[in-house]
Amino acid sequence: MTPTMDKSLERLRERAAAEGLLDVAYATADSPFGTLLLARTPQGLVRLALPNEDVDATLADLAGRISPRVLEAPGRLEEERRELDAYFAGRRRSFDLPIDWQLSHGFLLRARQGIAAIPYGETRTYADLARTAGNERAVRAAGSACSRNPIPLVVPCHRVIRSDGALGLYAGGVEMKERLLELERGA
Amino acid sequence: MAELPPFQTLIDEHAAEVMAVLRGAVGREGAEDAFQETFLAALRAYPSLREARNLRGWLVTIAHRKAIDHHRARGRAPLPVEAVREEAVFDPDPTDGTEIWRAVAALPPKQRAAVTLRFASDLPHEEIAAALGCSPAAARRSLHEGLKRLRKEMA
């Protein structure tokens, strides 16, 4: 893309945002685990795709579920990228980002809000999570609140483990979960 | 409802072409504004679009409406071709078609639009007609007249 075209597109993104036409802004971000995809609405961070997720499929899904006005706009995600960088560097223990919860409903929403409240460096079990979300028998559903969490890392589902102490699964791979917990233990 | 791809796909695939079409239709000066207007109008209308086929044709059609708006706003004043000609030619390649596009820019609006749509955007007569808001026969006529005039100019 030529510099002139870059400038034109930058102007377009700014004008689209000013006119309320930028429903979903996205950007990529580097991480120690690979490239992340971040997406936000005017309300806040709505989706974070881990390195093993397909970018095109994720964007197509957002176009279908939120709005097809999906634009690449890194300038709108600077704070998100900054906080994630600091987190991976061990310099940040909690995120101070507005969250758009619109992709979660009912029990899953309550469970994910429960996950968001687990402090840095601590863990909870799937059973704890089910109880927090108001249905202690819904342990499997608590599992899917984690496995299909639209905003991993910021909604730290890696802090939810099995009652027997095993790590359980992680959308980004068990090794990533292990390394994240190590990072938070200061190892 | 149609499964619409993320709007960014339309930008990635068609922005350069839309810009080229607009440069042909309104000149380099007006192209930037017309480009912004085109994509903002497309963004506004996009979620209610019923049909995800031929998004390129849809964008080019909007671009042409914006080009026509541009000329209307200027009261159909002829483009200052002489002024353009006095500027330095940045591209030294004599085969880049600059001359022909200058001649195209000097055509009356309908002929210019028809020629640009046909050759820069490769649109069929039906779509040119849709973009210009006229019948396919009238589009064909504008194209024919435009080409005749170009041949004379370039001879």
Side-chain angles (χ1 to χ4, degrees):
Chain A
M1 204 135 292
T2 64
T4 331
M5 183 53 94
D6 282 345
K7 228 178 260 174
S8 298
L9 294 178
E10 185 53 40
R11 263 185 79 196
L12 177 65
R13 283 190 285 267
E14 278 166 21
R15 291 186 62 184
E19 283 196 37
L21 295 171
L22 215 179
D23 296 341
V24 181
Y26 72 88
T28 53
D30 290 333
S31 86
F33 303 95
T35 306
L36 309 173
L37 177 76
L38 314 175
R40 65 163 297 163
T41 67
Q43 281 70 48
L45 186 64
V46 75
R47 184 80 171 83
L48 190 161
L50 296 173
N52 59 350
E53 293 186 78
D54 184 276
V55 170
D56 289 340
T58 303
L59 295 174
D61 180 62
L62 292 174
R65 290 167 77 188
I66 299 176
S67 161
R69 288 180 188 138
V70 178
L71 290 181
E72 184 172 13
R76 309 247 124 214
L77 289 136
E78 269 169 19
E79 183 57 23
E80 281 80 358
R81 290 195 292 174
R82 222 187 339 261
E83 293 199 11
L84 281 161
D85 276 349
Y87 169 75
F88 289 124
R91 287 185 279 109
R92 176 173 272 279
R93 300 166 65 94
S94 68
F95 293 100
D96 202 10
L97 300 168
I99 302 281
D100 181 340
W101 292 102
Q102 70 166 295
L103 297 178
S104 303
H105 304 278
F107 177 85
L108 294 179
L109 173 62
R110 292 196 301 279
R112 286 169 188 155
Q113 288 174 333
I115 297 170
I118 306 173
Y120 185 91
E122 295 184 21
T123 55
R124 298 287 183 274
T125 66
Y126 294 103
D128 291 336
L129 186 60
R131 205 174 312 117
T132 314
N135 184 354
E136 61 183 328
R137 286 175 305 163
V139 180
R140 282 179 68 102
S144 32
C146 296
S147 64
R148 304 184 59 192
N149 174 12
I151 321 172
L153 297 171
V154 175
V155 175
C157 56
H158 59 275
R159 294 176 196 155
V160 185
I161 61 172
R162 283 171 35 172
S163 304
D164 62 7
L167 285 186
L169 298 172
Y170 190 60
V174 183
E175 197 208 323
M176 182 170 175
K177 187 171 190 171
E178 199 169 1
R179 282 173 61 193
L180 288 169
L181 292 174
E182 269 170 25
L183 164 79
E184 297 190 4
R185 277 196 300 267
Chain B
M1 248 224 347
E3 281 279 309
L4 298 168
F7 194 84
Q8 185 66 39
T9 330
L10 277 67
I11 293 179
D12 293 342
E13 290 173 10
H14 308 303
E17 185 187 349
V18 166
M19 188 63 100
V21 166
L22 287 169
R23 281 183 185 151
V26 303
R28 212 163 258 274
E29 297 272 303
E32 170 62 18
D33 278 346
F35 177 85
Q36 299 292 331
E37 293 307 322
T38 297
F39 274 97
L40 286 171
L43 258 179
R44 265 179 229 118
Y46 192 50
S48 47
L49 202 63
R50 296 213 185 136
E51 163 72 76
R53 280 187 300 144
N54 199 10
L55 292 169
R56 175 183 162 282
W58 176 67
L59 276 176
V60 171
T61 303
I62 298 174
H64 271 274
R65 270 192 229 119
K66 295 300 171 190
I68 290 166
D69 288 351
H70 172 93
H71 288 302
R72 282 208 185 111
R74 296 180 160 221
R76 294 187 182 260
L79 286 183
V81 173
E82 288 310 320
V84 171
R85 211 166 272 176
E86 278 164 19
E87 282 174 17
V89 175
F90 296 109
D91 192 337
D93 179 4
T95 61
D96 72 352
T98 310
E99 278 301 315
I100 186 104
W101 285 111
R102 275 201 194 120
V104 170
L107 291 174
K110 280 235 163 166
Q111 294 178 16
R112 175 181 49 227
V115 169
T116 314
L117 283 172
R118 184 72 191 98
F119 295 101
S121 314
D122 203 24
L123 284 191
H125 293 108
E126 296 71 34
E127 283 184 45
I128 296 174
L132 296 181
C134 65
S135 69
R140 209 179 289 264
R141 206 154 48 234
S142 292
L143 179 63
H144 177 76
E145 290 299 320
L147 290 178
K148 203 164 84 186
R149 204 149 146 173
L150 280 179
R151 272 188 214 107
K152 224 161 76 188
E153 291 277 319
M154 301 303 289

